Amino acid sequence: LPPSLVSAGTQIELIATIAWTIDIALSFFRGFELRGVVELKQNVIIRHYLRSWFSFDITLVSVDWVLLATENSDFVDWLRFSRFRRALR
C-alpha cells in the first residue's frame, strides 16, 4: 500500500519488524563474550546463536510479520506485546 494509505503506527511497526529481521541476520556475524574472551570465529558464533537466542528471535519476528499481515484483530493487539518482551532482552 502507498504510505499515504497506511497509518503512522503501522509504518513504525513495519520499520521495527524489518529492523528486528535484519538484526537476526546480523547476529550470525556478531561476536560474543565467553568466559572473559571475545569469540569471533564464524562457525562458533553461528553455533552459539543457533543454540541460544535464535529460536526465540525467529519466533517473535515471525509473529510480528503475521501480525502485520493480519492487522484487524483484538488478538493481534494482545500479541503485539511480544515486541515489548523482545525489547527487554
Side-chain angles (χ1 to χ4, degrees), residues 5 11 15 17 21 26 29 32 35 40 42 50 54 59-61 78-79 84 86:
L5 297 178
Q11 290 177 14
I15 291 168
T17 302
T21 303
L26 293 176
F29 302 98
F32 64 95
R35 297 182 201 109
L40 297 174
Q42 190 67 45
L50 288 173
F54 178 74
T59 300
L60 287 182
V61 169
W78 180 82
L79 287 177
F84 175 73
R86 186 174 189 319

Side-chain angles (χ1 to χ4, degrees), residues 31-40 44 48:
F32 64 95
E33 185 178 344
L34 181 62
R35 297 182 201 109
V37 176
V38 177
E39 184 59 66
L40 297 174
V44 177
H48 180 264

